[in-house]
Structure formats: C-alpha cells, structure tokens
Amino acid sequence: MPRRPRCYRMTRVGCAARVGALACALVLSCAPCVAADAAAAEPISFRRAVDLALQHSGVMGIATVNQWRAREAYEEVRANYIPQITIGSGLGYSYGFPLTLEGSAPSVVNFNSSQSLFNLSLRQFLKAAKIDWNASSLDVQDKRDSVILDTALTYAQLDQLTGKLKALGEAQSAADNAQFVTEQRLQQGVDSKLDLTKSQLVAARIRLRIAEAQGQADVLREHLSKLLGLPAESIAVEPASMPELPVISQDDDLPARAVENSLAVKQAEEKVAAAQARATGEHKALKMPIIDLASQYAYLAKYNNYDLYYRNYTANNFSGGLNIRFPIFNSVQKAKAEQADASALIAKKQVEITKNQVSEDALKLQRSLRQLAAARDVAKLEWEVAQGDLEAVKARIETGNANTRDQQNARLDAEDKHAAYFDAQLELSRAELQLLRLTGELEKWAIPPR
C-alpha cells in the first residue's frame, strides 16, 4: 500500500477534493444526531402512541362537540311537547277603552303556557333530528379512524426513516472512503479527474438523500409530537410494538366489504333517512291539522278602566284550552315541501356516488398491493444481490483482482439498495393501512382487544 501523502504534496485537484470531503463530513455530522436523540428519548410503544393521539386530538374534539350540538338540536325540537311557560307584566296607563299592548291587554302580571299536543309534521322533524344525532356518532368514529391512521402512518414512516438514515449514514461513509481512494489513485496517475468527479457526484447524491430523509424525520417527529401532546425531542419509536399487518388476499371481495362497513356510506344513508323524514314532515304540515294546548292568566287593575267598559269586571282572569288549526291553502308551505323532496332525492344520489367511490378506492388499493409487494420484493432482491456483489469484491481483493475503491463502491451500492428497500416497504404498509380503514378493520388492528 502506498504511504498516504501530505496535503501539500497533493495536486490542486486532489487538495480541493479532500477539502470537499472534509466539508461533507462536517455537513453530515448532524445525521447521527437523529439516532442519538432517538436513543436518548424513551421509546413510545405504538399502542400508547395511538391512545395519546386519541386523547389529544383536536379533530376528535370537534367531532364530539358536533355530536353534542346534534343532540341539543334534537332536544330543541322535542321541547315543543313540553309546556313553554312565561311570566311577565303589561303595566301601562289607559285612557278611555283599554287597548292592547303588543297584542296583550294591560295587566299587572300575566302568565302564559303553550305546548304542542298533536302535530304530525313536528313528529317527523323530531325523527329527522334524532337521525342526525345518531349520524353524528358515525362522524366521531370516522374521525377516530382518521386519527388512528394518521398516527400509524407517521409512526411507521418515522421508524422507516430512522433505519433509512442509518443505512444512508453507512453509505456516506463508504462514499467518503471511495472518494479518498480515488484521490490517492489520481495522484498516482492511475485514475483520471473524471473518476474523481464521479466519486464526488456519488457522495453528493448520498448527502442529498440524507438531507431529504433528515428533513422528513424532523417534520414527522414534530407532527407526531402534536398528535401525542409530547415534546418532539422526547419521542422515539419502538418498531417491535407495531402489530403485524394482516395478509390481504387478492381473491377477497374487499370492495363489497368496504361498502358494507364504510362509515362514509353509513353517514350518507343516515342523511337520506333524515331528508326523507323532513320531506314527510313538510307535506304533513301542508294538509294535517295542528293542535296546541295553551293557557293564560292575567291580573287586571282598575286604573286601566276595565270596570268602566266591562260589566262583570274581575281582577283575576284565566283561560285555557285547545288551539286547533286546519291548513286550507298555503303556497309557501307547498314550495317548502317540494324543496324537501328535492333534498331527499339529492341525498339518495349521494349515497350511490359514495358507494361507487368507496368500492373503486377499495379495489384500487387491493390491486395496488400486488404491485407494491412486487416492488418491495424487487428492492429486497436488489439489496441481496448488492450484498452478494460486496462479498464477491472482498474475495477478489484477496486474490489481487480488485482494489479498495471497488470494495467501497460495492458497499455504497449495497447501502443504497437497502435504503430503497425501506422506501418500498413503507409504500406497501401505507396502502395496507388505508385499505384497513376502508374495510372498517383499522381500529381492530391498532387496538386489539385484550
């Protein structure tokens, strides 16, 4: 082996290349920080990550508030069957015949009560409000699945990037060594300046991939910290804690299962039922009688001249009974009923669109699994071939048919193929998780019953 020359004995090209390699080493010195931070932080299991995400999710909070609002909307309609009681006063001065004040006779104190007794249209509106309330629970479950999917994808991708950064770090080490060997061979007149430029290009590409992976890992860790409500620097994944994804067969009728279990389809069907109930209510209001129960009490004073204009004046007055109304002709209500019919028809069409969309998405994901699995297998085989090439280069070095640079290039190729295998595995996992959500099996996988 030739003795390593000093920098002042290098050519201008060799010296510049060596300075570039040193700069690369300084730039890449931050890459191991990811692994160091992960090692320093206490690993969080996948199950705990999902539980924390569900507890701190703002999306879940909004869905829960919407469910509460839907319940209060139902209670508002139901309250029409409960007596509505008001008490007040109509104090005022009267000159001559006592006229009314805003529809009420002047009184010292008055009491009014009213409630619905028979109203078929109101009954349908109450049914629609209850359906909306029940449908809001489906929205809560849908948002719950969304949070679980987001957490699972982030957790899996962060784990993948941690392994990828480790592989790229080893590839960068091999690239630096290969570049150094090329510099030495260039000084000895064995390699050309083009060979050195090629080795520098390989190292630069590795640096680019490390920078991309580093940036993605930082963003994912920050996103996961927001999901879990924990500081980003305290988050480290525990790969072994993730449950194994189930095997999905291409022969299963997953589109039909997805349509059957889809929360989006169920919500669309609930909207149809609510719209039909409202349409029925509007039509009943057009032709069915309405009966309300009402009562009123008023204490009347003499200074309002009641004793002068009414023969049998009394201070205490009460009336109560039924208020019955028969609709005869109401063009405004007729238009409202037709609008409700149109809304119900739109809701029915939306169900068909949603079913078709869910079915197509499920079939697309199911078929993509075969392609992604094949891509994963290809990436794995390419990695294994690269490892075999590395072992072959090591054997040729012993026989003198290869040099150190050949070995470093082979190692670089193996680590690069290893990183590509990580990417292919993640894409396959992403599609499998999305398909589990479509078929309604995501929560069962993420939070298995104990």
Side-chain angles (χ1 to χ4, degrees):
M1 293 291 293
R3 188 175 63 181
R4 177 177 176 180
R6 297 181 180 178
C7 183
Y8 65 81
R9 295 178 57 186
M10 292 184 181
T11 63
R12 180 177 299 177
V13 174
C15 191
R18 184 57 182 165
V19 171
L22 291 173
C24 296
L26 291 174
V27 172
L28 294 168
S29 61
C30 63
C33 293
V34 176
D37 291 343
E42 181 180 355
I44 299 176
S45 68
F46 176 74
R47 175 65 181 270
R48 174 168 167 73
V50 171
D51 291 340
L52 287 174
L54 291 175
Q55 294 173 15
H56 294 87
S57 171
V59 175
M60 284 285 297
I62 292 174
T64 303
V65 172
N66 283 332
Q67 184 181 24
W68 171 57
R69 183 173 62 179
R71 182 193 173 196
E72 294 305 314
Y74 165 76
E75 294 293 343
E76 178 186 358
V77 179
R78 192 169 74 94
N80 285 280
Y81 291 101
I82 303 173
Q84 312 296 313
I85 301 173
T86 61
I87 186 171
S89 176
L91 290 175
Y93 172 75
S94 296
Y95 176 79
F97 187 84
L99 303 174
T100 62
L101 295 174
E102 295 185 354
S104 299
S107 59
V108 176
V109 63
N110 59 67
F111 170 90
N112 297 276
S113 172
S114 64
Q115 69 182 95
S116 179
L117 192 62
F118 178 81
N119 191 332
L120 295 181
S121 63
L122 182 62
R123 187 177 301 176
Q124 292 298 318
F125 296 150
L126 182 63
K127 178 181 177 181
K130 189 172 184 179
I131 292 173
D132 287 336
W133 177 20
N134 293 333
S136 64
S137 63
L138 296 174
D139 182 60
V140 171
Q141 182 60 46
D142 184 61
K143 296 300 187 292
R144 182 180 177 89
D145 285 350
S146 176
V147 172
I148 293 175
L149 178 63
D150 189 10
T151 305
L153 288 175
T154 306
Y155 195 95
Q157 192 170 0
L158 189 57
D159 172 44
Q160 177 262 349
L161 283 172
T162 302
K164 183 178 179 180
L165 279 169
K166 182 179 179 181
L168 288 173
E170 295 175 356
Q172 185 59 50
S173 178
D176 290 341
N177 290 332
Q179 182 176 338
F180 176 74
V181 171
T182 304
E183 293 171 1
Q184 301 301 309
R185 292 171 64 86
L186 175 62
Q187 295 175 33
Q188 297 170 5
V190 178
D191 285 345
S192 64
K193 182 180 178 180
L194 180 60
D195 293 326
L196 177 59
T197 303
K198 289 180 179 180
S199 64
Q200 291 173 339
L201 176 60
V202 171
R205 285 174 176 169
I206 297 298
R207 289 200 306 276
L208 175 61
R209 296 186 64 179
I210 288 179
E212 291 174 347
Q214 176 78 58
Q216 292 174 5
D218 291 342
V219 172
L220 287 170
R221 186 172 284 104
E222 183 67 21
H223 181 61
L224 192 59
S225 75
K226 295 296 187 295
L227 286 174
L228 308 186
L230 298 175
E233 60 273 9
S234 67
I235 294 178
V237 297
E238 187 179 333
S241 65
M242 285 194 69
E244 185 177 354
L245 287 167
V247 178
I248 300 176
S249 173
Q250 293 292 325
D251 298 329
D252 293 342
D253 190 6
L254 293 185
R257 192 194 309 174
V259 171
E260 180 182 358
N261 298 330
S262 172
L263 293 174
V265 172
K266 292 179 180 179
Q267 289 184 69
E269 291 174 343
E270 291 292 305
K271 289 181 179 179
V272 170
Q276 289 177 335
R278 289 191 180 92
T280 302
E282 297 293 352
H283 281 283
K284 289 187 178 297
L286 188 62
K287 56 187 178 181
M288 300 300 295
I290 297 175
I291 303 176
D292 294 334
L293 180 63
S295 62
Q296 184 178 22
Y297 165 82
Y299 181 81
L300 307 180
K302 287 186 177 182
Y303 59 75
N304 290 117
N305 302 327
Y306 288 112
D307 58 334
L308 299 178
Y309 292 94
Y310 292 94
R311 178 179 300 178
N312 296 319
Y313 160 76
T314 178
N316 293 291
N317 299 270
F318 174 82
S319 62
L322 301 178
N323 183 13
I324 305 176
R325 301 184 299 276
F326 292 90
I328 302 300
F329 176 75
N330 191 334
S331 58
V332 174
Q333 183 59 38
K334 181 179 179 182
K336 290 179 65 176
E338 292 176 352
Q339 290 177 28
D341 289 338
S343 297
L345 182 59
I346 292 174
K348 288 181 181 180
K349 295 297 182 181
Q350 189 61 46
V351 169
E352 297 176 6
I353 294 174
T354 304
K355 285 183 177 180
N356 292 337
Q357 186 65 48
V358 169
S359 178
E360 290 176 8
D361 290 344
L363 182 60
K364 186 184 299 182
L365 283 171
Q366 184 182 19
R367 294 296 180 257
S368 69
L369 291 182
R370 182 162 48 194
Q371 177 183 351
L372 293 172
R376 187 269 317 270
D377 294 340
V378 169
K380 184 178 182 181
L381 290 173
E382 288 179 345
W383 176 35
E384 293 175 353
V385 169
Q387 288 178 313
D389 292 340
L390 176 59
E391 295 300 324
V393 170
K394 291 180 180 179
R396 292 204 306 271
I397 288 179
E398 296 178 358
T399 60
N401 294 325
N403 53 41
T404 306
R405 189 186 66 175
D406 295 332
Q407 181 181 4
Q408 297 300 336
N409 287 336
R411 180 176 288 111
L412 174 63
D413 184 59
E415 300 300 342
D416 190 53
K417 294 296 191 297
H418 192 190
Y421 170 65
F422 278 121
D423 291 337
Q425 179 63 48
L426 176 65
E427 291 303 316
L428 176 59
S429 300
R430 185 193 304 276
E432 290 175 333
L433 289 172
Q434 291 174 341
L435 189 55
L436 284 178
R437 184 188 179 187
L438 274 180
T439 56
E441 300 169 353
L442 180 63
E443 184 170 353
K444 187 186 299 184
W445 166 80
I447 312 177
R450 295 178 178 176

